């Protein structure tokens, strides 16, 4: 089984369509986990589970514990964080995708996990991409011994960025086929 993690439904929409995923009624906590009987945003398909974790894993990161429960319950071989990121360089076009895993990173680009959307251009000697889930995602995968991949698509160049749902869906839908091959 592969587990995909997206922050929002608009980030996940292309995967839902590509893999014909169905909304699940899975409740976590039935196994006695401390967060109780919380219905979570999980979508299922053949060999795939998609968890919509909320931006930054939700307010105060509360969905991180649920992601850990998902990894424990389903024991996936790989977990993939798929979503958007901002970029500090105009050299990188909106819609360009970048892939990281535990052994490699794209040459010349670093991924920086932040706690709030970056809306100010930041001068840096290297190309920096900014997201809000990758650090917690990697931490939880490591804790459960699950291999990870992070695939981020540039959505903006940090200048008063206003990211809407329709644009996010369109940007990521274009990469859903590629992400399915990971």
């Amino acid at each position: 089984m592969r587990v995909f993690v997206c922050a929002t439904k608009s980030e996940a929409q292309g995967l839902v369509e590509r893999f014909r995923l169905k909304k699940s009624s899975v409740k976590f906590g039935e196994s006695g986990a401390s967060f109780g009987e919380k219905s979570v945003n999980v979508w299922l398909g053949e060999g795939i589970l998609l968890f919509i974790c909320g931006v930054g894993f939700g307010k105060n990161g509360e969905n991180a514990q649920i992601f850990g429960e998902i990894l424990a319950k389903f024991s996936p071989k790989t977990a993939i964080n798929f979503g958007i990121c901002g970029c500090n360089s105009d050299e990188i076009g909106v819609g360009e995708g970048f892939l990281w895993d535990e052994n490699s990173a794209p040459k010349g680009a670093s991924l920086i996990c932040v706690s709030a959307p970056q809306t100010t251009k930041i001068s840096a000697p290297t190309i920096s991409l900014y997201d809000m889930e990758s650090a917690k995602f990697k931490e939880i995968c490591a804790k459960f011994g699950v291999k990870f991949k992070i695939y981020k698509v540039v959505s903006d160049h940090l200048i008063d960025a206003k990211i809407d749902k329709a644009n996010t869906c369109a940007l990521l839908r274009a990469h859903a086929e590629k992400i399915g091959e990971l």
Side-chain angles (χ1 to χ4, degrees), residues 31-49:
S31 62
S34 61
F35 48 84
E37 298 266 335
K38 180 177 181 180
S39 180
V40 295
N41 207 343
V42 171
W43 296 69
L44 296 171
E46 188 174 323
I48 294 174
L49 181 147

Side-chain angles (χ1 to χ4, degrees), residues 5-9 11 41 51-59 61-63 132-133:
V5 176
C6 296
T8 66
K9 178 71 172 20
E11 286 183 345
N41 207 343
F51 174 47
I52 301 176
C53 69
V55 175
F57 275 92
K59 186 179 177 184
E62 74 269 5
N63 290 332
M132 296 177 64
E133 295 78 37

